[in-house]
Amino acid sequence: MTDLEKLRARKGAVRRSEVPANVVAGLNRGELESVNLVEFLVIDHVKLFKAVRPGLSLDDAVAKKLSRIIKDLATAGVMQRLTATGAAFHEALVGSDAREVVYQQLTEHPSDVLRSWAAYMDAADETLTFAKRLKQARKFALDSNMGVREIAWMSVRLPAAESIVSDIERLYPLANHKNHLARRFAIEVSRPCGVWCKHITELKQRPEIAEDLLTLCREDDTKYVQDSVANWLNDASKTRPDFVQELCERWLAESESPHTRRITHRALRTLRKKA
């Protein structure tokens, strides 16, 4: 096993100060992807872009513009940096023959930050239909990196929250997908409250809109998906406890699956505390 392979097989540090210098260097060169949030937060996006720029099909003018924007974002919050950088790539390359080439280079890059920039390029593209957004996001939803998988649903939700409500049936094929990561994406993208994003008010008020979607995963055998379904319902229980209580009781009456029991138990945790 090479030194780089050993680094890629590492466990992440629990504090920023504990991230080894060679890991920080690898992250900033774009040779490594982060393995947890702590590592993700130590990445210097300015150094990273400087290191990866020679491998991207950008002309000098575009590269200088992007470099300037990334420097200006250095003190911004991590999500603002990702969103704005992806938008900057899109705006700098829209209409250019190089756009798809650069987009592909980002999606295939070893660095999870660059793959996240690509996802936010899609988020910034106002010409994409909801169906196209879901298609584009699938590769990020199936990414091996947990952080990129979170960006996958956020990059769809950010520009298309209304479509998640009005066209929710477009998520059904993903909820039926053989890959559990796709199933998890279908649930997570539609959560009423979600994490690090705006809430979807209509789903908080009318969670029954998503009942058929949730039911597709009520017996899922993967903990990753079970937790997502439970968290979805726990979100909804804060505004529509009646719906969540009734749905969980019905699921338990209709299904003998231990997976359903686990989902409903976790889904009702906030209501149990209130009781």
Side-chain angles (χ1 to χ4, degrees), residues 3-271:
D3 290 342
L4 186 58
E5 289 172 336
K6 290 178 182 177
L7 281 178
R8 287 174 175 163
R10 73 195 180 281
K11 291 185 177 180
V14 297
R15 298 180 183 85
R16 296 192 206 186
S17 60
E18 295 174 356
V19 181
N22 59 340
V23 171
V24 176
L27 292 168
N28 288 337
R29 288 194 299 265
E31 297 172 352
L32 300 175
E33 63 175 27
S34 63
V35 298
N36 61 15
L37 181 59
V38 171
E39 287 192 0
F40 189 81
L41 293 175
V42 304
I43 299 172
D44 186 322
H45 290 205
V46 175
K47 291 181 179 179
L48 175 61
F49 181 72
K50 183 178 180 181
V52 302
R53 186 264 172 269
L56 301 176
S57 300
L58 301 168
D59 63 39
D60 288 342
V62 170
K64 288 179 181 178
K65 180 179 180 180
L66 290 171
S67 178
R68 186 166 59 251
I69 290 171
I70 292 170
K71 286 180 181 178
D72 290 343
L73 290 167
T75 58
V78 62
M79 296 312 300
Q80 182 182 349
R81 265 183 288 161
L82 290 174
T83 305
T85 302
F89 267 91
H90 170 69
E91 291 163 10
L93 294 168
V94 65
S96 166
D97 292 339
R99 187 194 187 282
E100 287 308 310
V101 175
V102 173
Y103 177 82
Q104 196 67 23
Q105 290 168 338
L106 296 178
T107 63
E108 296 174 353
H109 204 278
S111 171
D112 53 315
V113 172
L114 269 70
R115 302 201 298 278
S116 297
W117 289 348
Y120 278 118
M121 283 181 72
D122 288 332
D125 188 349
E126 296 179 354
T127 69
L128 295 181
T129 63
F130 184 53
K132 182 67 172 177
R133 288 191 188 284
L134 292 178
K135 183 177 180 180
Q136 292 286 95
R138 188 172 302 185
K139 56 184 168 291
F140 304 116
L142 303 183
D143 199 278
S144 60
N145 184 275
M146 181 178 291
V148 176
R149 296 198 296 271
E150 294 304 302
I151 298 301
W153 65 260
M154 283 189 271
S155 69
V156 172
R157 187 179 175 116
L158 176 69
E162 291 183 0
S163 294
I164 292 169
V165 175
S166 61
D167 294 336
I168 198 165
E169 67 277 1
R170 292 192 179 276
L171 298 176
Y172 296 174
L174 290 165
N176 270 319
H177 200 282
K178 63 181 180 180
N179 190 314
H180 74 283
L181 298 179
R183 302 196 300 273
R184 193 257 184 180
F185 168 84
I187 303 301
E188 204 67 24
V189 73
S190 63
R191 276 180 63 179
C193 299
V195 182
W196 288 359
C197 63
K198 289 184 178 180
H199 296 180
I200 300 179
T201 302
E202 190 163 2
L203 286 175
K204 290 170 68 175
Q205 297 172 345
R206 298 176 57 221
E208 56 268 18
I209 292 170
E211 182 175 336
D212 289 345
L213 174 69
L214 296 167
T215 301
L216 290 171
C217 295
R218 74 177 185 180
E219 296 182 356
D220 205 285
D221 62 358
T222 306
K223 183 176 179 292
Y224 199 42
V225 182
Q226 293 171 16
D227 287 348
S228 191
V229 177
N231 289 339
W232 200 112
L233 290 169
N234 187 60
D235 285 351
S237 74
K238 298 168 186 176
T239 50
R240 284 290 307 280
D242 58 318
F243 168 80
V244 175
Q245 186 72 53
E246 189 278 331
L247 183 66
C248 287
E249 289 176 358
R250 178 151 43 86
W251 280 4
L252 289 172
E254 296 172 350
S255 173
E256 296 182 356
S257 169
H259 308 313
T260 304
R261 288 198 299 273
R262 182 178 184 276
I263 288 170
T264 55
H265 181 76
R266 288 181 57 81
L268 296 169
R269 62 188 183 272
T270 294
L271 294 182

